[in-house]
Amino acid sequence: MVSLTETDAMGNHPFEDLLNEGNNNDTDVELDPVAMPPALPPPIPGQHPEAEQQPEAEQQPQAGHEQGGQAEEAANATMTTTPPTKVSKSFKSIVVFRTDLTKSAREAHPCGVLHFPSGGGHAGTSAEEHAFAWISRQDVPSHLEAVLGHMRRFGFPSEDATFVPYSSRRSWIEKYPLAFPHVHCGEDGRVVGFPYWSGEQHGPAGIRAGGAIPPPVSSS
């Protein structure tokens, strides 16, 4: 067997041609420097590589402009979605005073409020007035007549009066504070007070102007 490292008597290697042929094929290949991609700079610590491709203004939008835009959008939404306030329209409005007694106790209950409405005409005025008088014993005719006569002196006709039975004067005032019964007829039948109205001769305005006040009326 012939070794690849042995030579013949002339000093020639028997496989010199094969060795030379292999060496001739081992040629160095040079790369075109133009075809090689450019070297990238090393990344900055703590920065995402994609951040280099975006401007700084686009990466972090200004917080003030963002909040201002949200507030403006909310205001516009409120203006467009809030319906306008509507008020019912009518050609008359009525105030109703109701008793606090049960149906079985209304007929026999003696005390309550006398409501005197009037269409005007007091002391030459055209104002619509309402007066209220508390009566403790409406079932006693003399007590009732004393209150009606007292109110007639102030221009409130008896035929317009309405009796509303109520549990107590205090309960009525708490329920209807604007319908305060300034005229009072107690258990003894004595009538005191005067209707609180805007007449020129009587009432608080008349007192300040020096108007005359009718004397108290007694049922006795």
Side-chain angles (χ1 to χ4, degrees):
M1 183 175 182
V2 180
S3 174
L4 295 178
T5 59
E6 295 179 356
T7 59
D8 56 6
M10 298 298 296
N12 297 325
H13 196 281
F15 300 101
E16 183 176 1
D17 294 339
L18 295 176
L19 293 177
N20 293 333
E21 184 179 357
N23 293 334
N24 294 333
N25 294 334
D26 294 338
T27 57
D28 295 335
V29 179
E30 295 183 0
L31 297 178
D32 188 0
V34 179
M36 297 180 63
L40 297 177
I44 301 175
Q47 182 178 3
H48 197 275
E50 297 179 356
E52 299 178 358
Q53 303 176 2
Q54 299 180 0
E56 183 178 357
E58 297 181 359
Q59 297 177 20
Q60 298 180 356
Q62 297 182 2
H65 293 286
E66 183 178 357
Q67 295 178 358
Q70 294 178 356
E72 184 177 357
E73 292 178 0
N76 294 335
T78 303
M79 295 176 60
T80 56
T81 58
T82 303
T85 303
K86 295 183 179 180
V87 179
S88 60
K89 181 179 180 180
S90 178
F91 296 100
K92 64 178 180 179
S93 179
I94 301 175
V95 179
V96 178
F97 303 100
R98 301 182 183 276
T99 180
D100 63 345
L101 302 174
T102 60
K103 292 183 178 180
S104 59
R106 293 174 184 176
E107 293 296 331
H109 197 74
C111 63
V113 170
L114 285 166
H115 176 202
F116 294 86
S118 177
H122 300 284
T125 65
S126 59
E128 180 178 344
E129 304 288 351
H130 292 266
F132 302 88
W134 177 263
I135 182 171
S136 299
R137 297 298 304 270
Q138 183 266 345
D139 56 335
V140 178
S142 58
H143 291 194
L144 178 60
E145 184 58 35
V147 177
L148 297 178
H150 183 73
M151 298 300 293
R152 281 194 298 266
R153 289 179 169 85
F154 292 95
F156 291 94
S158 300
E159 58 268 18
D160 296 336
T162 302
F163 175 71
V164 182
Y166 221 78
S167 58
S168 67
R169 185 171 181 265
R170 179 186 182 89
S171 298
W172 173 274
I173 296 172
E174 291 177 350
K175 180 68 174 181
Y176 304 110
L178 296 180
F180 192 93
H182 293 277
V183 177
H184 181 269
C185 180
E187 293 286 345
D188 58 354
R190 181 177 175 83
V191 182
V192 295
F194 50 85
Y196 191 87
W197 58 293
S198 58
E200 296 179 1
Q201 300 297 324
H202 309 297
I207 292 175
R208 290 191 294 268
I213 301 175
V217 177
S218 176
S219 61
S220 55

